[in-house]
Amino acid sequence: MTETFMRISVLGAGSWGTTLAVLLADNGHTVRLWARRESHADEISQTRENPRYLPGVNIPAAVAVTADIDYALEGAGMVVMSVPSHTIRELCDAHPLPEGAIVVNTAKGLEEETLERLSEVIVESAGVDPGRVLSLLGPSHAEEVSRRIPTSVVVAGSDPDACRTVQSAFSNGYFRVYTNDDVVGVEVVTALKNSIAIAAGIIDGLGFGDNTKAALVTRGLAEISRLGSAMGARTETFAGLAGVGDLVVTCLSRHSRNRRLGELIGSGKSLDAALAEMVMVAEGVRTTRAAVALGRRHSVELPIIETVHAVLFDGRDPREAVGALMTRPLRGETTGPAEPDRRS
Amino acid sequence: MTETFMRISVLGAGSWGTTLAVLLADNGHTVRLWARRESHADEISQTRENPRYLPGVNIPAAVAVTADIDYALEGAGMVVMSVPSHTIRELCDAHPLPEGAIVVNTAKGLEEETLERLSEVIVESAGVDPGRVLSLLGPSHAEEVSRRIPTSVVVAGSDPDACRTVQSAFSNGYFRVYTNDDVVGVEVVTALKNSIAIAAGIIDGLGFGDNTKAALVTRGLAEISRLGSAMGARTETFAGLAGVGDLVVTCLSRHSRNRRLGELIGSGKSLDAALAEMVMVAEGVRTTRAAVALGRRHSVELPIIETVHAVLFDGRDPREAVGALMTRPLRGETTGPAEPDRRS
């Protein structure tokens, strides 16, 4: 088979959109990168760098940078969405996507008002065939991909041909894309893990250790799996790159914004004070609200995410909250009724 | 229900045995801690500290320290095994355990010659009822448990009453024990994860990043799950504390000896030179040999563990080996036939 080069539009010139534009250009595609602000587009065009969001990475000439979204979208066979999750609907409402284009969502989150997954938001607002909307997600900090550090991710979609087209367009020697048809599982776990990342950061801020965080990651994955299964996801997805992989990188990495936000809160800052210290969006705050609502809708208990919600929005004391999680009645590891507590 | 205090024998005065002896004494039990060397037992008795393996932790008077194993075992209702995995059989052969005692294995590994799990080794060599031999495993660095940092682990056993007895004896406000009846799954995953930890260390030594390590942890867990399932384990176990949890703490923690060994090798040292730098045993070297043999016995492909084996024992270049893992044919995420590679 021969290599197929495409015309690809990347919407959003944050760290991840910029990284993917560079990667796609590396792979031989013709790329137009859309930045919301004219001054930002000009700065990138002129310096061939994105100093605010991705300093030190050269942006090759094969990436055309523009603030004109219609020009960015013109004739694209693939549209990569890298805008903040809460701006996706407005963007798709306002700008028709090219007919027949494959749309690749790369944002992790849920729409707060509707509790919809982001590919659902795109299908609805852009009026695209569901099989043509895919999500490319997984453990992939932009700071590392842009330095060509080996990375593996998942493309989730219901149409196998579209999945393989995306897999082929993005894959190269340092970026490995696996396909997965469990769109619900991949989107739910990558969204909700941002709440668990905040919890992991709180644990760091409190000065607890690796044991505590390993338990948190495991039990956090278990509660996300319960909710995902209730929504129709497959269990294997939670053990995969979008599940375990993404959770690990987010909870432990020095690059994670959500973990950092939690760390500030764990060390005693208020939510407002912590948010004020962040340059980039921490999606997990919004996701935590949506996740608690989703849990109620599906009658699934989410002890860790509900605790994060109470710490963020109801002023619950982080140390007391972690203590309460540790001293729930003793039980078996898999879900089911609690076993008798022999210590009471 | 009232609290039941037991007479408990802890065999092995390394960092983990010492930590558990202190924890059990904290919980009100009467503990005898056995150290192999007389001079080591004397040192701990006199200083009430274990400076070589657990510096800075006070060992309370409720822990009697001895090098006389028969005295240590006398009248114990529970025997906790914290000796290196390759010494378990010899120990059980030489010293009869008290009649009716519950035996708790806390070592992670496989017997290299027989490929048996450690609870199997104990059942065979000590002639104990299989239901009375349990494994207490999970993400639990001694350095943290001994500082009372919140920790959650699993006790795996086939007899629910024995599981609850162990759960109750060990649990307290900072140490939370979940029960799990999947003994095969818990023992296999905690053993094999030490090979993946060596691989994680190699990635650190090569200077790769969090993305690479997240992919390694995920794909490593997938290959362990395939082998475990072939051996009769339940899939949920791999998503639990002994699986994801232990893998996370071992691959990412600064305390992990196996990760450290891999880091030395990734940065260019030979296996012998790396081993010479380690104070404590890195079980993963022995486990890697056993895991490769187990994979062959069950006809399960273990690409990461086989790569670690080639790097450790056949002098394969670490950087080339990681590159080869990243450029295998593209495929779907869950197991099954590879999808057509569109880039070739």
Side-chain angles (χ1 to χ4, degrees):
Chain A
M1 242 176 278
T2 55
E3 191 86 51
T4 318
F5 298 118
M6 305 178 77
R7 177 175 288 193
I8 301 179
S9 162
V10 177
L11 304 186
S15 59
W16 192 223
T18 306
T19 296
L20 290 177
V22 172
L23 177 141
L24 290 165
D26 264 7
N27 286 5
H29 305 287
T30 305
V31 180
R32 289 184 185 170
L33 172 64
W34 174 72
R36 188 176 292 270
R37 285 176 297 109
E38 184 103 39
S39 59
H40 191 210
D42 288 348
E43 183 184 35
I44 300 174
S45 285
Q46 281 154 23
T47 62
R48 304 315 299 178
E49 206 191 327
N50 188 340
R52 185 167 170 85
Y53 296 117
L54 200 66
V57 175
N58 176 255
I59 295 160
V63 177
V65 189
T66 176
D68 177 346
I69 194 165
D70 298 317
Y71 174 75
L73 288 169
E74 184 189 30
M78 186 181 288
V79 177
V80 178
M81 296 282 233
S82 291
V83 296
S85 64
H86 63 284
T87 66
I88 290 176
R89 184 179 294 273
E90 184 201 340
L91 190 87
C92 290
D93 277 343
H95 304 281
L97 304 183
E99 181 106 14
I102 287 179
V103 185
V104 182
N105 166 57
T106 70
K108 297 168 180 174
L110 295 164
E111 194 176 48
E112 203 182 331
E113 301 73 22
T114 62
L115 307 185
E116 284 180 357
R117 291 176 285 106
L118 300 181
S119 70
E120 292 180 303
V121 173
I122 294 171
V123 166
E124 239 180 63
S125 56
V128 187
D129 178 322
R132 306 292 281 175
V133 181
L134 302 93
S135 278
L136 184 79
L137 299 167
S140 47
H141 281 295
E143 296 81 348
E144 298 189 355
V145 176
S146 60
R147 292 195 299 125
R148 298 183 172 71
I149 287 188
T151 301
S152 298
V153 299
V154 164
V155 61
S158 58
D159 180 76
D161 280 336
C163 280
R164 281 193 293 266
T165 301
V166 174
Q167 181 181 49
S168 168
F170 283 87
S171 293
N172 61 31
Y174 61 89
F175 196 74
R176 190 166 167 77
V177 182
Y178 290 81
T179 58
N180 188 325
D181 63 4
D182 180 12
V183 184
V184 175
V186 168
E187 290 191 295
V188 167
V189 69
T190 50
L192 267 57
K193 69 97 218 270
N194 281 331
S195 294
I196 306 298
I198 294 177
I202 291 175
I203 280 174
D204 286 335
L206 289 169
F208 289 146
D210 296 329
N211 294 355
T212 320
K213 215 192 285 187
L216 174 90
V217 165
T218 310
R219 302 306 301 172
L221 189 64
E223 70 182 57
I224 295 176
S225 300
R226 285 200 298 274
L227 178 59
S229 300
M231 295 172 69
R234 277 192 285 115
T235 321
E236 305 95 277
T237 299
F238 302 106
L241 288 163
V244 170
D246 205 30
L247 195 60
V248 165
V249 83
T250 310
C251 290
L252 297 126
S253 175
R254 57 198 174 283
H255 302 304
S256 165
R257 308 195 277 266
N258 292 292
R259 196 207 57 75
R260 176 70 188 137
L261 180 82
E263 192 174 11
L264 293 169
I265 288 168
S267 62
K269 290 220 158 51
S270 71
L271 176 56
D272 287 341
L275 285 173
E277 282 196 24
M278 311 283 298
V279 178
M280 294 191 260
V281 181
E283 292 272 7
V285 176
R286 204 170 269 117
T287 303
T288 300
R289 263 196 291 250
V292 166
L294 260 190
R296 283 189 197 132
R297 178 188 284 181
H298 293 277
S299 305
V300 174
E301 212 194 338
L302 304 170
I304 297 173
I305 294 175
E306 283 158 15
T307 301
V308 171
H309 191 277
V311 170
L312 291 181
F313 305 115
D314 307 332
R316 187 164 174 194
D317 177 64
R319 187 171 296 272
E320 174 276 318
V322 172
L325 278 176
M326 282 298 289
T327 52
R328 304 174 81 217
L330 294 173
R331 55 186 297 168
E333 190 177 24
T334 48
T335 53
E339 293 175 34
D341 182 354
R342 300 275 287 251
R343 295 187 55 80
S344 57
Chain B
M1 244 177 279
T2 55
E3 192 86 51
T4 317
F5 299 118
M6 306 179 75
R7 177 175 288 193
I8 300 179
S9 162
V10 178
L11 305 186
S15 59
W16 192 223
T18 307
T19 295
L20 290 177
V22 172
L23 177 141
L24 290 165
D26 265 7
N27 287 4
H29 305 288
T30 306
V31 180
R32 290 184 184 170
L33 173 64
W34 174 71
R36 188 176 293 270
R37 285 177 296 109
E38 184 102 38
S39 59
H40 191 209
D42 288 347
E43 183 183 37
I44 300 174
S45 285
Q46 281 154 24
T47 64
R48 304 314 299 177
E49 204 190 328
N50 188 339
R52 184 167 171 85
Y53 296 117
L54 200 67
V57 174
N58 177 254
I59 295 162
V63 177
V65 189
T66 175
D68 178 346
I69 192 162
D70 297 316
Y71 174 74
L73 287 170
E74 184 189 30
M78 187 181 287
V79 178
V80 179
M81 296 280 233
S82 291
V83 296
S85 62
H86 62 284
T87 67
I88 291 177
R89 184 179 294 273
E90 184 201 340
L91 190 87
C92 290
D93 277 342
H95 304 281
L97 303 183
E99 181 105 16
I102 287 179
V103 185
V104 181
N105 165 57
T106 70
K108 297 167 180 176
L110 295 165
E111 194 175 48
E112 202 181 332
E113 301 74 23
T114 62
L115 307 185
E116 283 181 358
R117 292 177 284 105
L118 300 181
S119 70
E120 292 180 301
V121 173
I122 294 170
V123 166
E124 239 181 61
S125 56
V128 186
D129 178 323
R132 307 292 281 174
V133 181
L134 302 93
S135 277
L136 183 78
L137 299 167
S140 48
H141 282 295
E143 296 82 348
E144 298 189 355
V145 175
S146 59
R147 293 195 298 124
R148 299 183 171 72
I149 287 188
T151 300
S152 298
V153 298
V154 164
V155 61
S158 59
D159 180 77
D161 280 337
C163 279
R164 281 193 293 265
T165 301
V166 175
Q167 181 181 48
S168 168
F170 284 88
S171 294
N172 62 29
Y174 62 90
F175 197 74
R176 189 166 167 76
V177 182
Y178 291 81
T179 59
N180 188 324
D181 63 3
D182 180 13
V183 184
V184 175
V186 168
E187 290 191 296
V188 168
V189 69
T190 49
L192 268 58
K193 69 98 219 267
N194 280 332
S195 294
I196 307 296
I198 294 178
I202 291 175
I203 280 175
D204 286 335
L206 290 170
F208 288 146
D210 297 329
N211 294 355
T212 319
K213 215 190 287 184
L216 174 90
V217 165
T218 309
R219 302 305 301 172
L221 188 65
E223 71 183 56
I224 295 175
S225 301
R226 285 199 298 273
L227 178 59
S229 299
M231 294 172 69
R234 277 192 286 113
T235 321
E236 305 93 277
T237 298
F238 303 105
L241 288 163
V244 170
D246 205 30
L247 195 60
V248 165
V249 83
T250 311
C251 291
L252 296 126
S253 176
R254 58 199 174 282
H255 302 305
S256 165
R257 307 196 276 267
N258 292 291
R259 196 207 58 76
R260 177 70 188 138
L261 180 82
E263 191 173 12
L264 292 169
I265 288 168
S267 61
K269 292 221 157 49
S270 71
L271 176 57
D272 287 341
L275 285 173
E277 282 197 24
M278 311 283 297
V279 179
M280 294 191 258
V281 181
E283 292 272 7
V285 176
R286 204 170 269 117
T287 302
T288 300
R289 265 196 290 251
V292 166
L294 260 189
R296 284 190 195 128
R297 178 188 284 180
H298 293 276
S299 304
V300 174
E301 213 195 337
L302 303 170
I304 296 172
I305 295 174
E306 283 157 15
T307 301
V308 171
H309 191 277
V311 170
L312 291 181
F313 305 116
D314 308 332
R316 186 163 174 195
D317 177 64
R319 187 172 296 273
E320 175 276 319
V322 172
L325 278 176
M326 283 298 291
T327 51
R328 303 174 81 217
L330 295 174
R331 55 185 298 169
E333 189 175 26
T334 49
T335 53
E339 293 175 33
D341 182 352
R342 300 275 287 250
R343 295 186 57 80
S344 58

